[in-house]
Amino acid sequence: MDKLINDFSFGLFFWQILLFVGLLLLLRKFAWKPILEAVNNREEGIKNALESAEAAKKEMQNLQADNERILNEARAERDGMLKEARQLKESMIADAKSEAQTEADKIVAQAQATIESEKKAAIADLKSQVAGLSVEIAEKVVRKELANKDKQLELVESMLGDVTLN
């Protein structure tokens, strides 16, 4: 170190400073400006990429919200269609039950009418058979009673006694 201090020269020092300043100016003009410009461009590109990413994120959120809204609308429409289908089914079942009940009532009424007419026919047939039997029995009884002359006179007198004159 002592040797450097003893051999120190102002002229050499001056030229070295001058060359150093010149080198700095050259580097500034040809190297630093393009390097700083590249760094600034890079910084600007990163900033734009971040803004684009943020915009894409917002757009994605909007799309997701739209998808949710559309999905909710589709669910609501599906629920409405299912409700309408259930109501239609219940209506059809109620109509079918009503129609079946009407048909059943009609069939029961026809059956009752048929039963009633058959009952009346059976009663009429029974009455005619009973009347026929009664006439036959009466005829046999009257023949037996009227076979004897005394009994005939007795019957006529008892009938005349029962009859009152008006």
Side-chain angles (χ1 to χ4, degrees), residues 140-162:
K140 285 181 183 180
V141 167
V142 169
R143 271 194 200 145
K144 190 176 182 183
E145 289 290 321
L146 295 179
N148 189 346
K149 194 100 160 135
D150 292 335
K151 284 194 177 190
Q152 283 179 6
L153 286 175
E154 188 181 315
L155 180 64
V156 169
E157 283 178 13
S158 81
M159 287 183 150
L160 285 175
D162 287 343

Side-chain angles (χ1 to χ4, degrees), residues 19-166:
L19 283 174
F20 182 71
V21 171
L23 182 64
L24 283 178
L25 290 175
L26 282 173
L27 283 174
R28 182 176 175 204
K29 183 173 184 176
F30 293 109
W32 284 342
K33 275 190 180 181
I35 290 172
L36 287 177
E37 195 173 307
V39 168
N40 286 337
N41 288 341
R42 174 88 174 149
E43 184 180 338
E44 195 68 33
I46 291 171
K47 186 177 176 184
N48 289 339
L50 287 174
E51 288 173 358
S52 296
E54 189 65 32
K57 184 179 178 183
K58 286 181 183 177
E59 187 175 336
M60 191 63 119
Q61 287 174 344
N62 289 340
L63 287 174
Q64 194 172 17
D66 286 345
N67 286 344
E68 275 297 318
R69 180 184 52 80
I70 290 170
L71 188 61
N72 288 336
E73 288 175 2
R75 285 181 183 148
E77 187 175 339
R78 180 202 64 195
D79 291 343
M81 291 173 75
L82 286 174
K83 182 178 178 183
E84 186 177 324
R86 280 189 205 106
Q87 288 174 346
L88 183 60
K89 177 188 85 169
E90 290 170 2
S91 171
M92 290 174 73
I93 289 172
D95 290 346
K97 282 182 181 178
S98 168
E99 193 174 315
Q101 186 63 40
T102 304
E103 280 296 316
D105 291 345
K106 202 183 291 182
I107 290 171
V108 167
Q110 287 176 349
Q112 286 176 343
T114 303
I115 290 170
E116 191 65 31
S117 67
E118 287 180 8
K119 180 180 171 185
K120 285 180 182 178
I123 289 174
D125 185 42
L126 188 61
K127 281 182 181 180
S128 80
Q129 285 179 5
V130 167
L133 285 175
S134 296
V135 168
E136 281 181 33
I137 291 172
E139 185 181 323
K140 285 181 183 180
V141 167
V142 169
R143 271 194 200 145
K144 190 176 182 183
E145 289 290 321
L146 295 179
N148 189 346
K149 194 100 160 135
D150 292 335
K151 284 194 177 190
Q152 283 179 6
L153 286 175
E154 188 181 315
L155 180 64
V156 169
E157 283 178 13
S158 81
M159 287 183 150
L160 285 175
D162 287 343
V163 175
T164 59
L165 296 173
N166 298 7

